Amino acid sequence: MREATTTPVRREDYTAPAFFIRAAELSFDLDPAKTIVASRLTIERNPALPRQPLRLHGEALTLLRVQADGASVSFRHEGGELVIDSPPETDRFTLEIRNTCAPDKNTALQGLYTSHLLQVYVRPGDLEKTEHAMNSLVASVVWDEARFGLALDLDRYMIVAVEDYNSGAMENKGLNIFNTQAVLASPAISTDADFARIESIIGHEYFHNWTGNRITCRDWFQLSLKEGLTVFRDQEFSMDMAGSPSARAVKRIDDVRRLRAAQFPEDAGPMAHPVRPDSYLEINNFYTPTVYEKGAEVVRMMHTLVGREGFTRGMALYFQRFDGQAVTCDDFAQAIADANPGSELATRLDAFKRWYAQAGTPRITARGQHDAEARRYTLTLAQRSDPSPGQPTKLPFVVPVAMGLLDAGGRDLAADRLLVLEEGEQSWVFEGIDTPPVPSLLRGFSAPVRLDDGLDDAERLVLLAHDSDPFNRWEAGQRLMLGRLLAAVASGSAPVLDDALAEALRRVLLDPALDPAFKELALLAPGELYIAEQLPVVDPQRIHAVREQWRAQLAERLHADWAWAWEAHQVTEGYSPRPAQAGRRALAHLALTMLCLQAVRQGDAVWPGKAYQRFKDATHMTDRLGALAALTDAHSPLAEAALERFHAQAHGDALVLDKWFMLQARTPELLGAEAGRVFTLAPRRCSSTATFR
């Protein structure tokens, strides 16, 4: 087993290796108890360093033979290393090592280990569930060549689905290993969200073929070089697959919600660390939202600062310089800047790289002042960063702020601009502005920051109704709802859905120009975790109660509109997981939930009855789970019978039973009703018992 070290490994201590491994050939004689591994390494001395012993790391290995250029060499063990004190005097030689390992004794789930279900192919019974994975892989190959000119470099590229694989997936060159949850899908067992997730993960691992395999990390401190960049690439892939601008915005909104829910709290807590950490005890601890999601945001800011075409040029230069090498985050940033001389990134590169070195989420304050007589508007932005572990003070970040100005009627007053905040405080002047404008700041969430925009409710209502940027339109609605929810939590009273906000949300629901998936997100209240993050003292029960009261009011105030949304967004054609259909289903299911909420409160059985009928008649999992969620979220008396029926229909399928558990875990009111009930689960080749307490 691999054990965590007790001495930190520090980036500042990095030194170049004394030897380079220019090629490696491995052959395996597989046996669970005793696997024989033969390696053939082409080794080259580093001419910049004095001659010294050759040291190779290895864990839980039994060495049988070590040869250099065909002749046996003496070796010794030292602290988990194979040390050859007298390697050949030549500058280049071939080292052959033969050793054994015991995969069935490896419980670390790293390296070579055995499982009862470890296979190199999809099980025959799962063959019909692989079509979407294959389609996603084809789409990934086509997209990467079209977007970045990166063609598949292999004659054969394989995916293997393993039910008990410890990680989600791994980008082994030419043979990607996946957990079955990230590969297997069919309309009968998978929802629209499952299909989208599989497409994203398969794209991510395929994109690693270039950003992670062809060019990899010089050392573990550079982990975000491959992971942050590849998360950005899979996000862009999913957005390009979505289609319309507001459908693309749905993906961006989902990514920002994930960032705020997982990475922002990490940045604000005791585990805060830079995107490129300076030390670690165990590198597995740094597979974090900061390295992945915030790392992707750092890449996205580069993309914003040089533009889409400029970023493509930068990627081309990056591969021209470093293909086949192990490099650093600095190398990547330098390539993007060098391909775009004179760009906002190139002129500020040293300061921009503070995003890699400094932890924490910057807080941006925006305030505007309008001079009617001079027809001038002045916007002032200021930034500050809270202390984080090991970093009591921070230098200013380079923050790209995409923005526009609207008048009170929602018309654009000036062309979109990209402001670059690089100091503690800066001001920008806009000429020819006749009326006080409403600033739309941080469009597309152009930087991973917390923004205090200083806007009042009237100004946010303008953005919610008219902003041409879908992300900021969604954000305005979220802030309007959040303000009312926080006020209710603080006062101990019910939240107030006033006429102005109710009408604004109604207009969003009825707007024919907006994608249904965007409407569904815009009408959802902020989540309980996000609400809690805004409070100095958290009362989970109070937050939950206030959010439930808000949903009940929204269900009542827009009742007729929810009925219209349910009827107008039915999908009658054959099932497809593509965004056009998925968005219609998402909005229809939200409408059904709202209608059931209102019906249960009034003691009306009509809409819960319709939901239960939809649950029974559904021909695919998205409709079945959507109707079941409407019953559970509304706390309908029919929910219990529906849950039992869902469990029975699962027939022990582990992927389906995961949904059964998830639905009840997110509905705490159900847990009391289910207390003490015992269900025997029978997923493939195993059985277990789950008891709710």
Side-chain angles (χ1 to χ4, degrees):
M1 288 185 62
R2 184 180 183 184
E3 297 181 356
T5 60
T6 57
T7 303
V9 182
R10 302 185 184 280
R11 181 167 60 88
E12 62 188 21
D13 298 330
Y14 171 79
T15 58
F19 296 86
F20 299 112
I21 299 177
R22 297 305 189 189
E25 300 175 17
L26 297 175
S27 63
F28 298 86
D29 186 355
L30 293 174
D31 183 274
K34 185 179 181 180
T35 289
I36 300 175
V37 183
S39 60
R40 180 183 175 89
L41 309 177
T42 301
I43 305 232
E44 186 177 295
R45 290 182 181 275
N46 185 342
L49 296 178
R51 293 180 177 270
Q52 54 190 280
L54 171 62
R55 296 175 177 271
L56 298 174
H57 293 274
E59 298 173 5
L61 304 177
T62 300
L63 288 169
L64 301 178
R65 184 179 68 196
V66 179
Q67 293 182 322
D69 288 337
S72 296
V73 294
S74 59
F75 58 89
R76 60 188 173 85
H77 296 278
E78 181 181 292
E81 293 181 334
L82 164 65
V83 182
I84 301 175
D85 291 304
S86 301
E89 293 294 325
T90 57
D91 292 335
R92 190 181 181 98
F93 57 92
T94 299
L95 185 71
E96 295 178 87
I97 302 174
R98 191 175 180 87
N99 61 264
T100 66
C101 61
D104 59 357
K105 294 182 179 179
N106 180 0
T107 59
L109 298 181
Q110 299 181 76
L112 193 63
Y113 61 91
T114 60
S115 164
H116 298 316
L117 297 178
L118 182 63
Q119 303 188 37
V120 295
Y121 52 86
V122 175
R123 294 168 301 176
D126 288 334
L127 187 61
E128 72 281 1
K129 303 172 187 175
T130 60
E131 181 180 2
H132 179 67
M134 180 58 67
N135 290 340
S136 299
L137 179 59
V138 170
S140 303
V141 173
V142 171
W143 180 86
D144 213 18
E145 185 166 4
R147 177 74 185 268
F148 293 112
L150 301 176
L152 178 59
D153 61 342
L154 299 171
D155 293 330
R156 189 179 186 190
Y157 185 96
M158 295 168 285
I159 289 174
V160 59
V162 181
E163 191 168 65
D164 63 351
Y165 183 56
N166 192 46
S167 302
M170 183 180 288
E171 68 273 17
N172 311 64
K173 182 75 174 181
L175 180 62
N176 285 185
I177 303 174
F178 286 75
N179 188 284
T180 52
Q181 292 183 350
V183 172
L184 303 182
S186 73
I189 67 168
S190 309
T191 64
D192 293 334
D194 294 329
F195 280 100
R197 175 175 176 269
I198 288 170
E199 180 181 78
S200 175
I201 294 175
I202 285 183
H204 180 97
E205 303 307 331
Y206 173 73
F207 301 144
H208 265 316
N209 186 56
W210 284 90
T211 51
N213 292 344
R214 289 286 290 256
I215 300 180
T216 194
C217 304
R218 185 196 70 180
D219 52 71
W220 282 116
F221 304 102
Q222 320 296 330
L223 181 58
S224 195
L225 171 73
K226 74 182 188 76
E227 295 301 349
L229 175 55
T230 305
V231 169
F232 167 80
R233 277 158 48 72
D234 82 55
Q235 290 174 350
E236 286 290 292
F237 166 63
S238 296
M239 290 175 70
D240 285 349
M241 297 293 286
S244 70
S246 60
R248 287 174 57 85
V250 168
K251 171 59 178 171
R252 184 63 181 141
I253 291 167
D254 280 341
D255 292 336
V256 172
R257 291 171 69 193
R258 186 178 303 110
L259 183 80
R260 287 173 169 171
Q263 197 280 321
F264 276 22
E266 184 171 83
D267 245 352
M271 296 301 294
H273 58 275
V275 170
R276 183 185 58 201
D278 288 318
S279 67
Y280 62 82
L281 291 176
E282 171 56 60
I283 189 58
N284 283 344
N285 295 341
F286 278 114
Y287 282 79
T288 63
T290 296
V291 168
Y292 278 69
E293 275 70 33
K294 188 176 181 179
E297 294 298 317
V298 173
V299 175
R300 185 171 296 279
M301 286 188 287
M302 295 186 204
H303 183 277
T304 298
L305 290 168
V306 302
R308 183 180 174 105
E309 292 183 2
F311 188 80
T312 301
R313 288 194 301 271
M315 287 285 285
L317 181 60
Y318 175 60
F319 282 101
Q320 178 185 327
R321 284 181 176 175
F322 302 118
D323 190 12
Q325 299 182 43
V327 299
T328 68
C329 296
D330 289 334
D331 292 325
F332 174 76
Q334 191 68 56
I336 303 299
D338 288 349
N340 297 276
S343 67
E344 300 281 12
L345 177 66
T347 58
R348 301 171 173 87
L349 183 59
D350 288 342
F352 179 84
K353 288 192 291 188
R354 292 169 190 162
W355 284 105
Y356 282 119
Q358 297 183 160
T361 305
R363 297 177 182 270
I364 309 299
T365 301
R367 295 295 182 266
Q369 184 176 8
H370 181 249
D371 186 332
E373 183 176 350
R375 302 177 60 235
R376 179 181 298 127
Y377 175 73
T378 303
L379 176 67
T380 300
L381 300 178
Q383 64 168 299
R384 68 177 178 86
S385 297
D386 296 331
S388 55
Q391 296 182 336
T393 60
K394 314 283 178 67
L395 293 172
F397 288 86
V398 174
V399 182
V401 180
M403 56 87 64
L405 296 177
L406 288 70
D407 67 14
R411 292 178 293 275
D412 291 329
L413 291 176
D416 291 356
R417 286 186 58 178
L418 179 66
L419 311 180
V420 181
L421 175 64
E422 56 185 329
E423 300 174 6
E425 182 176 306
Q426 291 171 249
S427 295
W428 289 264
V429 175
F430 299 81
E431 303 287 355
I433 307 298
D434 295 313
T435 60
V438 179
S440 170
L441 303 176
L442 214 67
R443 284 182 161 176
F445 199 68
S446 56
V449 300
R450 299 178 188 269
L451 174 64
D452 172 9
D453 56 20
L455 301 183
D456 59 27
D457 279 6
E459 291 170 312
R460 290 197 175 119
L461 285 168
V462 171
L463 298 179
L464 175 59
H466 303 290
D467 202 328
S468 59
D469 179 67
F471 180 88
N472 271 11
R473 196 170 181 180
W474 169 81
E475 179 83 323
Q478 291 293 291
R479 293 201 177 198
L480 286 163
M481 289 187 274
L482 180 64
R484 287 150 176 78
L485 292 167
L486 291 175
V489 171
S491 66
S493 59
V496 178
L497 177 55
D498 52 277
D499 292 343
L501 181 52
E503 183 56 33
L505 294 174
R506 177 179 287 110
R507 286 198 300 269
V508 169
L509 179 57
L510 301 179
D511 190 338
L514 294 176
D515 189 89
F518 176 82
K519 295 181 182 183
E520 189 254 353
L521 282 178
L523 291 160
L524 285 174
E528 293 177 23
L529 286 177
Y530 187 67
I531 297 170
E533 193 183 345
Q534 318 306 313
L535 298 168
V537 178
V538 177
D539 182 344
Q541 288 82 4
R542 177 66 188 149
I543 293 172
H544 177 71
V546 166
R547 193 172 184 275
E548 289 293 285
Q549 291 166 344
W550 178 266
R551 293 202 313 148
Q553 288 189 55
L554 191 60
E556 180 181 6
R557 294 291 294 275
L558 272 61
H559 184 268
D561 305 293
W562 291 124
W564 166 83
W566 165 252
E567 297 294 342
H569 293 86
Q570 296 300 305
V571 178
T572 57
E573 58 266 33
Y575 177 82
S576 167
R578 300 313 311 159
Q581 273 197 24
R584 289 156 61 192
R585 281 189 288 268
L587 183 57
H589 293 150
L590 175 61
L592 184 59
T593 298
M594 290 297 183
L595 292 165
C596 287
L597 270 173
Q598 177 68 1
V600 169
R601 291 180 71 243
Q602 294 181 336
D604 182 354
V606 173
W607 279 107
K610 289 184 178 181
Y612 190 72
Q613 193 63 43
R614 166 58 67 93
F615 165 75
K616 293 195 298 182
D617 296 342
T619 59
H620 54 80
M621 179 57 73
T622 305
D623 272 357
R624 181 175 299 112
L625 198 66
L628 178 57
L631 293 172
T632 57
D633 287 357
H635 317 308
S636 167
L638 294 173
E640 184 175 352
L643 284 166
E644 290 184 357
R645 188 182 183 100
F646 187 88
H647 181 271
Q649 292 174 340
H651 300 298
D653 188 304
L655 298 181
V656 177
L657 288 170
D658 282 346
K659 296 175 172 58
W660 182 77
F661 280 118
M662 175 201 67
L663 200 59
Q664 295 173 90
R666 79 179 195 188
T667 313
E669 289 82 0
L670 286 175
L671 297 183
E674 300 288 343
R677 298 188 61 202
V678 177
F679 297 89
T680 299
L681 312 181
R684 307 178 186 92
R685 282 177 294 285
C686 70
S687 62
S688 59
T689 300
T691 305
F692 291 104
R693 296 296 186 192

